[in-house]
Amino acid sequence: MCTAATYQTRDFYFGRTLDYDRSYCEEITVMPRNFPLTFRDMPTLDSHYAVIGMAHVSDGYPLYFDGVNEKGLAMAGLNFVGYADYREPKQGKENIAHFEFIPWILSQCASVEEAKERIGKLNLTNTPFSEELPPAQLHWLIADRHETLTVEAVKEGTRLYPNPPGILTNNPPFDEQ
């Protein structure tokens, strides 16, 4: 079972386990500042923060499991099988595929507060990365040195939960953990 956790003293720590019985060819992946970052339904970002994390890189695109940006904002995606519910792209929203969510947030937000604002305009889509990589059912932990947030895309919509303990695991939904 994967778990992401934060730990705050006068410093801030963020980590996660990646408990799989096989490798997904994950590797430490650095996305340099201002490297052109493409999205399926949004314009390319040419100006953004640098990000480092664990990812499977496919066709040159980082499919991040987790990461942290140069401002100290961290994020991890954990299994949420049977609960995740993504939408079709919607006019008037920022349509981000589930696999684009981590780089979309970490490339543009310096804090959890900024992430909350971006998520308010978000429509997490069910766009698959490829035929071989259909949508992964995930929920996410986003944290900085001041607060932690859980994000879940469910049938009722995108839910944001303050997460004072700073811990998230796979199923069940956060309000049941």
Side-chain angles (χ1 to χ4, degrees):
M1 175 169 295
C2 297
T3 302
T6 63
Y7 180 68
Q8 291 181 263
T9 58
R10 58 188 168 96
D11 297 314
F12 170 64
Y13 299 93
F14 181 92
R16 70 90 51 84
T17 62
L18 196 54
D19 297 333
Y20 290 113
D21 58 354
R22 64 185 178 113
S23 172
Y24 286 90
C25 300
E26 64 274 1
E27 58 188 284
I28 296 171
T29 304
V30 176
M31 183 174 54
R33 185 183 309 127
N34 303 331
F35 178 82
L37 181 57
T38 60
F39 299 100
R40 298 287 172 92
D41 295 308
M42 296 294 293
T44 297
L45 274 181
D46 292 316
S47 177
H48 59 79
Y49 300 128
V51 176
I52 185 170
M54 290 300 293
H56 167 77
V57 179
S58 182
D59 295 327
Y61 196 89
L63 301 169
Y64 281 103
F65 294 88
D66 55 68
V68 62
N69 70 18
E70 65 184 276
K71 298 297 182 180
L73 183 66
M75 187 170 178
L78 293 102
N79 279 331
F80 196 46
V81 177
Y83 297 98
D85 189 60
Y86 309 124
R87 308 282 193 259
E88 293 293 323
K90 199 183 289 183
Q91 198 74 341
K93 286 286 204 174
E94 293 188 3
N95 293 297
I96 298 297
H98 69 287
F99 62 86
E100 300 169 330
F101 189 39
I102 290 176
W104 184 73
I105 289 292
L106 293 181
S107 66
Q108 300 179 83
C109 301
S111 67
V112 170
E113 278 303 312
E114 288 182 20
K116 286 180 202 176
E117 278 184 45
R118 301 278 336 181
I119 293 166
K121 304 170 188 170
L122 171 71
N123 178 41
L124 273 169
T125 70
N126 57 8
T127 305
F129 181 77
S130 66
E131 284 186 31
E132 296 81 31
L133 295 170
Q137 296 183 48
L138 303 171
H139 59 173
W140 297 269
L141 185 73
I142 304 174
D144 62 24
R145 66 174 28 260
H146 303 289
E147 69 179 307
T148 305
L149 180 71
T150 296
V151 180
E152 296 180 341
V154 293
K155 287 182 180 166
E156 298 78 22
T158 302
R159 300 285 187 240
L160 306 179
Y161 297 98
N163 185 336
I167 298 173
L168 182 66
T169 190
N170 299 336
N171 294 349
F174 181 71
D175 60 354
E176 294 177 29
Q177 287 191 26

